[in-house]
Amino acid sequence: MSQLQARDLTRSYGRTPALRGVTLDVDEGEIVAVTGPSGCGKSTLLHCLAGILRPDAGEVIWRGERLDTQPEAARSRLRRTEFGVLFQFGQLVAELTAAENVALPLLLAGTGRRAARETALSWLERFGVAELADVRPGEMSGGQQQRCATARSLVTGPRVLFADEPTGALDTLTGEQVLTTLVRLAREQRTSVVLVTHEPRIAAYADREVTLRDGAVEHSGLELNVPSTGGAR
Amino acid sequence: MNSGRVSTPHVLLGLLATGDKHGYELKRAHDERLPQARPLAFGQVYATLSRMQRDGLVTVAGQERDGGPDRTTYALTGEGRAALDRWLNDVEPPYPYVTSTLLAKMAVALLVADVDRVRACLAAQRQAHTARLRELTVLKHAPSATLDDVVAADFAIAHLDADLKWLATTLSRVADWHREVRHEPAPGP
Ligand SMILES: Nc1ncnc2c1ncn2[C@@H]1O[C@H](COP(=O)(O)OP(=O)(O)OP(=O)(O)O)[C@@H](O)[C@H]1O
Ligand SMILES: [Mg+2]
């Protein structure tokens, strides 16, 4: 079942059109790559889907209900409980350690302090950065920060992860390691992923690829063979 | 993919440097070391070996013929070893000529077809490249993949990724490219 749908989305910034009628479905557990040249509207689409931006026209439907018309409080609750977001530069909270950063979404969702820390530690371990638990972002490399940020984006077991160029600032090998771990864990907990990237080799990890050009869907990728779940390492 | 041709004689020299082998063993070792390459044909192995023998790079080390097929074992000569070392020490010229069937096809398409047709060619090629990229990505992450498989897949993936970026860039340029080749004026403002 399609759990997230965009219907004919239009969005402009002043007189600059960013989206001109985009329709897109994301199934439960599906990983969809959104690709296309710079400025084609990828980030705008992602922000509309995640309820961060409101489209000028069209609809965003989340599990059968309009999302875009809900008040900000409801949308932000959804982002805390059902969605995860991840950007190119981790955007960790500078004053908090890695473990505190990863525990933060759990605390906001009402998990107790000790349980939140334990879960955070296990997620840092899955991303191979357990030893950074008590280190602050300022003392980490970009790749280490991104591993922590990725752990943080998945820690609540969101139904959808919105990832905007999550490997854009990483070298090929580090990017691949972060992405394969992300994909494996997302599949394990059936988290759908909307993966914005301009790298063909990154898009190749998705089940389906949607290409935008000038704010419209150029082609929405026939489903080619689906990469296996188990093996990603 | 680019047209870098493999120098089979040098690969065979390298395989013989690890110990004497007969033709079949060489074929097997070749296909094992280069898992994603086109498998070597027997005929090619024997033809290459006899040329290398003529040139003094390899020599016959033994012959075994207990009723079965002819099994000539080959060994590396001193000259062969020197040729191998020279090859390893030589830096490969990075793209001395920009040649690719894909590029040539697009250049010709521009001469004989309209923009939409060229665009369709590029888009179809992108589809095929994407499919192959996905195939290799799956292969690379299969639990059974060895580092031989991973490294070979990495090579192909890097090139497909580059080709796909080139295809995307060219798709954006195709209208201007077509006009330039056909000496047509740029569209008005
Ligand atoms: N805050 C903004 N104010 C004004 N214009 C904007 C704003 N954000 C985006 N745009 C414009 O909207 C269009 C789409 O931008 P968007 O950021 O969605 O593209 P993108 O595909 O994510 O590009 P990139 O690959 O460079 O990140 C562009 O023309 C851009 O200049
Ligand atoms: Mg963007």
Side-chain angles (χ1 to χ4, degrees):
Chain A
M1 184 199 89
S2 257
Q3 62 175 348
L4 180 61
Q5 300 170 292
R7 291 274 158 271
D8 216 15
L9 293 187
T10 304
R11 180 64 155 88
S12 300
Y13 299 95
R15 247 182 267 137
T16 312
L19 298 177
R20 328 171 182 240
V22 172
T23 293
L24 176 78
D25 282 12
V26 182
D27 286 351
E28 203 177 318
E30 190 184 26
I31 301 185
V32 179
V34 177
T35 62
S38 195
C40 68
K42 303 182 294 293
S43 296
T44 305
L45 173 61
L46 186 112
H47 287 113
C48 286
L49 287 172
I52 299 168
L53 264 184
R54 274 202 159 127
D56 300 332
E59 308 181 339
V60 178
I61 297 160
W62 168 246
R63 295 171 74 80
E65 282 180 39
R66 277 295 279 276
L67 163 66
D68 53 293
T69 47
Q70 296 195 21
E72 170 53 28
R75 282 182 285 132
S76 106
R77 177 157 21 83
L78 210 54
R79 287 201 297 276
R80 263 200 324 272
T81 54
E82 314 257 48
F83 296 168
V85 284
L86 178 61
F87 298 103
Q88 180 169 357
F89 301 100
Q91 304 192 329
L92 296 171
V93 181
E95 294 74 25
L96 301 182
T97 65
E100 288 164 349
N101 264 287
V102 177
L104 193 58
L106 294 169
L107 295 174
L108 291 176
T111 308
R113 215 154 254 291
R114 183 166 308 165
R117 179 167 168 92
E118 248 159 55
T119 308
L121 290 178
S122 80
W123 277 85
L124 286 173
E125 187 159 347
R126 279 178 241 199
F127 279 90
V129 283
E131 76 282 2
L132 299 176
D134 298 316
V135 175
R136 279 177 235 286
E139 294 156 48
M140 298 179 201
S141 75
Q144 290 169 335
Q145 290 181 38
Q146 198 63 0
R147 284 169 203 265
C148 296
T150 311
R152 185 181 63 178
S153 73
L154 286 166
V155 72
T156 55
R159 289 183 192 267
V160 189
L161 173 65
F162 297 95
D164 198 345
E165 300 278 5
T167 62
L170 306 177
D171 67 65
T172 305
L173 191 56
T174 309
E176 179 181 305
Q177 285 164 352
V178 170
L179 188 73
T180 50
T181 310
L182 184 160
V183 166
R184 179 163 51 78
L185 297 173
R187 290 202 192 280
E188 264 174 37
Q189 54 185 23
R190 284 189 67 67
T191 295
S192 307
V193 183
V194 179
L195 174 66
V196 166
T197 179
H198 64 271
E199 300 277 342
R201 68 161 102 217
I202 295 296
Y205 286 86
D207 300 323
R208 194 155 58 89
E209 195 173 326
V210 175
T211 309
L212 299 186
R213 180 171 289 266
D214 295 334
V217 174
E218 185 182 55
H219 81 132
S220 63
L222 316 165
E223 259 167 80
L224 302 156
N225 43 38
V226 175
S228 70
T229 17
R233 66 172 197 194
Chain B
M1 195 83 23
N2 65 66
S3 58
R5 282 193 37 174
V6 178
S7 169
T8 305
H10 289 110
V11 174
L12 296 188
L13 286 177
L15 295 173
L16 284 173
T18 67
D20 301 353
K21 286 176 188 60
H22 52 72
Y24 179 70
E25 288 174 322
L26 275 172
K27 180 221 164 10
R28 227 182 32 202
H30 170 279
D31 296 351
E32 227 173 76
R33 292 305 305 145
L34 301 169
Q36 294 299 314
R38 186 201 303 268
L40 212 50
F42 283 116
Q44 197 190 347
V45 178
Y46 292 114
T48 310
L49 281 169
S50 78
R51 240 178 297 125
M52 290 160 69
Q53 189 182 358
R54 183 198 64 202
D55 297 341
L57 303 175
V58 299
T59 181
V60 171
Q63 208 133 24
E64 185 187 309
R65 201 176 299 161
D66 36 78
D70 171 41
R71 291 203 158 187
T72 307
T73 304
Y74 293 87
L76 197 64
T77 63
E79 234 175 288
R81 178 75 222 196
L84 173 62
D85 287 336
R86 270 198 308 280
W87 183 65
L88 291 178
N89 286 334
D90 279 350
V91 170
E92 288 298 309
Y95 278 96
Y97 300 103
V98 180
T99 56
S100 137
T101 312
L102 180 53
L103 177 55
K105 191 181 274 190
M106 292 313 144
V108 170
L110 230 45
L111 292 175
V112 301
D114 61 21
V115 180
D116 286 341
R117 173 96 189 277
V118 181
R119 206 175 267 135
C121 284
L122 287 163
Q125 194 63 52
R126 185 170 66 180
Q127 197 92 334
H129 266 61
T130 303
R132 181 67 180 140
L133 177 62
R134 287 168 160 273
E135 214 173 88
L136 286 161
T137 303
V138 171
L139 201 128
K140 174 178 169 180
H141 292 286
S144 60
T146 63
L147 271 180
D148 269 345
D149 296 324
V150 170
V151 171
D154 273 344
F155 184 87
I157 286 169
H159 287 82
L160 285 163
D161 185 76
D163 279 357
L164 279 161
K165 286 175 183 160
W166 177 80
L167 284 164
T169 311
T170 308
L171 268 166
S172 307
R173 289 188 165 137
V174 70
D176 290 338
W177 192 21
H178 194 264
R179 261 193 303 278
E180 188 183 290
V181 169
R182 302 295 188 91
H183 303 292
E184 283 162 12

